[in-house]
Amino acid sequence: MGSGLRKGQAVRQAPGGRPERRGTAEGAQKLQEGQREVTAETSQPVVFVQEKQIGDNEKTLKAHKEDKPQKLLEMNGHTSVPHSYNYDLIVIGGGSGGLAAAKEAAKYEKKVMVLDFVMPTPLGNSWGLGGTCVNVGCIPKKLMHQAALLGQALQDSRKYGWQFTEEVKHNWMTMTESVQNYIGSLNWGYRVSLREKNVTYENAYGEFVGPHTIKATNKRGVEKLYTAERFLIATGERPRYLGIPGDKEYCISSDDLFSLPYCPGKTLVVGASYVALECAGFLVGLGLDVTVMVRSILLRGFDQDIANKIGEYMEEHGIKFIREFVPIKVEQIEEGTPGRLKVTAKSTTGNQIIEGEYNTVLVAIGRDACTRKIGLDKVGVKINEKTGKIPVNDEEQTNVPYIYAVGDILQDKLELTPVAIQAARLLVQRLYGGATSKCDYVNVPTTVFTPLEYGACGYSEEAAVQKFGEENIEVYHSHFWPLEWTVPSRDNNKCYAKIICNIQDNERVIGFHVLGPSAGEITQGFAAAMRCGLTKEQLDSTIGIHPVCAEIFTTLTVTKRSGENTLQAGC
């Protein structure tokens, strides 16, 4: 293992400097007395490895005969730090950030290993290489969102002249099989890509056991030790459970939903996160009976003006909300696929207790960082004890200089796939390519794929007020009606556009928000403009494309502080 003590390896007498040359019997006796005084060992020679004392002659010979010299090092609290390593970089976690880092490091001809292991969900589900986004996150979520949009498009199509007499039904199994087949192709593609770039991949659980050393345990329980000059932690997060009777036995999470082998039926979604609202949105779009139980506010951390509009739209489109309640018990009434469950919930503002029956309970109350069981304490990496998140500097470096971290496990950073990818690539370019660019965690575009999509970049209105002061920001906003929705006559003035400008900085756009179809496609382009210092004047001087939704941002004139009407009439 590295250059630690091995059977048959040469050792040296010390402490310090070169060994004293043999001389008279008196000199030898003085040397032995001096060694006893300094080392507190009773027999000679006293053995040192890399200038660290590990034991006297008897202890060392015993360890040598038992072929367990490394154990002797550990018993003495002196785990060796190898000076030559198995790898230049070991990446723990084969998600978006980890894979991006591994492939980027391979470009610089570095010897790289990726360790990835998925702990099964309480219901036994696991998946392949690629992480949350590919397997149980962004990819299947958007595909199922698309399935729901197609259902709405079918309804709209009659007004556009399409005629069909047969009853339109949705087949859950056909959808999930198609989605899982695509995900399987991505899993295989990642493995091929790593092999082509000479990156070693092991489907094994990585856990630090000492400085520069990690233990990899595969699904059969076989353990191997590897050393590396640097490590990157990219272990991501997993869904949090309620901690109540019946939650892990009978509830599912987003880790289970996208491969669920049966239609979930009448569903209770617990939570108000973007995961909760996105799943509730596409489930109701597929024709299911959906209820969302909310403890407090929707989309905490997002612009609350927009969050409330999303909630209103979802309610108008068939989703029921139970507000200010939390489940306290989940019981099984009837087995099946799906079965029947009874949920008991308690008010967060009083003592009221309610009960309800559902086929499926989906828990989406948040996610926990996968950092507490990977041996970080063995190497001294600090974490936030409450959240498990890892504090890093502006170069993604932990408090242990040779260990870095990217992705959802970082403290006070955005939990988004493209952020993890960008941070990972830039990190590797700094480590091995002499680059200096750092990841921008502020002007980051994102989209929430609720039935009415929400795209955002920069500051929310609340965050802008807090940072710059209400008197120093100007909010321009307007409702709008997509042309495509006018013929089926639906959802007039439900879409919404808003920009937040810094008055003290030439009305530079510091917050961009859009609620409407293809919100992500709209937001991506404006995000590039914001990185270039986009101002309100530049927006006003831009000629819009007619008739598209994004055109609204070139004609915003009404400010929030004016209180004027923002509803639109005509095209």
Side-chain angles (χ1 to χ4, degrees):
M1 187 190 75
S3 58
L5 183 61
R6 299 185 300 273
K7 186 175 181 179
Q9 180 175 332
V11 296
R12 57 177 172 169
Q13 289 181 305
R18 296 187 300 181
E20 204 171 295
R21 295 182 63 182
R22 291 181 182 272
T24 63
E26 182 182 356
Q29 184 178 356
K30 286 182 179 180
L31 174 61
Q32 291 177 350
E33 290 173 355
Q35 285 184 342
R36 288 194 192 100
E37 183 178 343
V38 173
T39 66
E41 298 288 0
T42 57
S43 66
Q44 275 73 37
V46 180
V47 180
F48 289 73
V49 173
Q50 295 173 357
E51 302 180 5
K52 293 181 180 179
Q53 177 183 338
I54 68 164
D56 62 10
N57 184 49
E58 292 178 5
K59 292 177 184 176
T60 308
L61 284 175
K62 186 173 185 292
H64 176 76
K65 289 176 181 177
E66 295 175 357
D67 200 20
K68 295 180 179 178
Q70 188 66 35
K71 289 290 184 185
L72 186 60
L73 283 166
E74 294 170 359
M75 286 168 55
N76 285 273
H78 293 305
T79 302
S80 63
V81 179
H83 291 288
S84 61
Y85 307 101
N86 302 132
Y87 292 92
D88 296 303
L89 176 68
I90 291 180
V91 179
I92 311 168
S96 302
L99 293 178
K103 289 186 282 190
E104 191 71 21
K107 292 180 183 178
Y108 297 97
E109 298 183 348
K110 297 300 176 181
K111 192 176 181 183
V112 185
M113 167 180 269
V114 173
L115 297 175
D116 186 63
F117 190 87
V118 179
M119 288 292 188
T121 71
L123 298 185
N125 291 316
S126 60
W127 45 89
L129 184 63
T132 295
C133 175
V134 167
N135 293 283
V136 290
C138 321
I139 299 299
K141 175 267 304 290
K142 179 131 192 259
L143 291 174
M144 293 190 179
H145 171 66
Q146 173 66 10
L149 292 181
L150 289 172
Q152 180 65 63
L154 279 171
Q155 296 177 39
D156 290 352
S157 70
R158 295 185 187 273
K159 288 287 187 178
Y160 280 97
W162 289 96
Q163 298 177 358
F164 43 92
T165 55
E166 71 275 11
E167 184 182 358
V168 177
K169 293 182 178 180
H170 181 266
N171 187 299
W172 176 270
M173 289 306 299
T174 299
M175 177 186 69
T176 54
E177 183 180 347
S178 299
V179 169
Q180 290 303 314
N181 284 342
Y182 175 64
I183 290 171
S185 71
L186 294 178
N187 298 147
W188 175 251
Y190 288 133
R191 296 187 68 163
V192 170
S193 178
L194 291 181
R195 186 166 63 244
E196 289 174 345
K197 292 174 170 54
N198 295 317
V199 174
T200 303
Y201 162 64
E202 280 205 21
N203 181 206
Y205 188 87
E207 181 181 358
F208 287 101
V209 293
H212 293 270
T213 307
I214 198 162
K215 177 176 69 176
T217 307
N218 68 18
K219 61 184 178 182
R220 295 184 300 277
V222 177
E223 298 178 356
K224 296 179 183 178
L225 293 180
Y226 298 104
T227 62
E229 182 182 15
R230 294 186 177 97
F231 291 83
L232 177 64
I233 307 169
T235 48
E237 298 180 307
R238 295 293 292 272
R240 184 181 310 137
Y241 282 80
L242 293 160
I244 63 172
D247 63 343
K248 291 185 178 180
E249 293 87 350
Y250 306 124
C251 299
I252 68 170
S253 73
S254 56
D255 282 357
D256 305 296
L257 177 64
F258 302 112
S259 59
L260 199 66
Y262 55 84
C263 179
K266 183 181 179 181
T267 302
L268 173 68
V269 179
V270 182
S273 64
Y274 71 90
V275 175
L277 298 188
E278 287 176 337
C279 292
F282 71 68
L283 288 175
V284 81
L286 300 178
L288 302 184
D289 183 334
V290 180
T291 301
V292 178
M293 186 175 288
V294 181
R295 179 175 59 87
S296 54
I297 63 173
L298 301 180
L299 295 175
R300 186 178 300 278
F302 289 89
D303 189 283
Q304 284 301 292
D305 180 23
I306 303 286
N308 291 331
K309 292 181 189 301
I310 290 172
E312 292 169 8
Y313 184 90
M314 292 177 73
E315 282 193 276
E316 291 170 0
H317 285 257
I319 295 177
K320 297 177 284 291
F321 281 83
I322 301 175
R323 296 180 183 271
E324 297 184 329
F325 273 85
V326 293
I328 57 174
K329 182 168 57 174
V330 179
E331 300 169 277
Q332 187 180 67
I333 300 172
E334 180 183 319
E335 291 185 2
T337 53
R340 286 170 57 222
L341 303 171
K342 183 173 82 170
V343 178
T344 305
K346 185 179 185 299
S347 169
T348 59
T349 58
N351 296 318
Q352 184 182 359
I353 301 291
I354 61 172
E355 293 179 349
E357 288 189 14
Y358 305 91
N359 298 119
T360 299
V361 177
L362 171 64
V363 177
I365 59 172
R367 300 171 66 81
D368 291 325
C370 300
T371 58
R372 299 186 189 276
K373 296 180 180 180
I374 58 172
L376 295 184
D377 55 322
K378 303 279 182 59
V379 286
V381 173
K382 293 179 181 177
I383 66 171
N384 182 313
E385 289 301 328
K386 182 179 179 181
T387 64
K389 300 270 190 171
I390 301 177
V392 294
N393 61 18
D394 62 354
E395 295 188 337
E396 289 74 45
Q397 187 178 41
T398 71
N399 64 297
V400 177
Y402 64 88
I403 299 177
Y404 299 80
V406 296
D408 294 356
I409 58 174
L410 298 190
Q411 181 171 289
D412 301 325
K413 297 290 191 290
L414 293 169
E415 300 176 10
L416 297 167
T417 294
V419 174
I421 293 172
Q422 177 84 322
R425 286 175 177 163
L426 293 177
L427 167 62
V428 170
Q429 289 165 14
R430 291 194 304 271
L431 291 177
Y432 301 125
T436 57
S437 295
K438 300 174 185 178
C439 187
D440 176 6
Y441 288 96
V442 177
N443 290 313
V444 176
T446 189
T447 297
V448 180
F449 290 98
T450 39
L452 195 58
E453 296 175 10
Y454 168 35
C457 184
Y459 290 92
S460 66
E461 191 172 339
E462 295 84 2
V465 168
Q466 183 178 9
K467 184 170 180 65
F468 301 101
E470 189 171 2
E471 70 282 2
N472 293 318
I473 66 167
E474 195 73 83
V475 178
Y476 295 88
H477 65 148
S478 178
H479 287 83
F480 62 95
W481 195 14
L483 180 65
E484 296 83 354
W485 294 5
T486 59
V487 170
S489 297
R490 67 176 175 90
D491 301 318
N492 188 3
N493 278 303
K494 296 299 180 183
C495 297
Y496 182 68
K498 174 168 76 172
I499 60 170
I500 303 162
C501 301
N502 184 352
I503 297 172
Q504 301 299 320
D505 189 12
N506 196 31
E507 282 205 312
R508 182 170 61 87
V509 179
I510 57 172
F512 176 94
H513 303 271
V514 59
L515 196 57
S518 302
E521 308 295 344
I522 296 171
T523 305
Q524 184 69 78
F526 283 102
M530 287 177 66
R531 284 189 59 79
C532 297
L534 177 69
T535 65
K536 178 62 168 65
E537 182 182 6
Q538 290 171 331
L539 265 181
D540 292 342
S541 64
T542 300
I543 296 173
I545 300 171
H546 188 70
V548 299
C549 294
E551 179 185 17
I552 191 70
F553 287 98
T554 66
T555 59
L556 293 174
T557 57
V558 178
T559 65
K560 251 196 175 182
R561 74 173 87 240
S562 74
E564 294 178 16
N565 183 27
T566 61
L567 300 181
Q568 286 218 328
C571 79

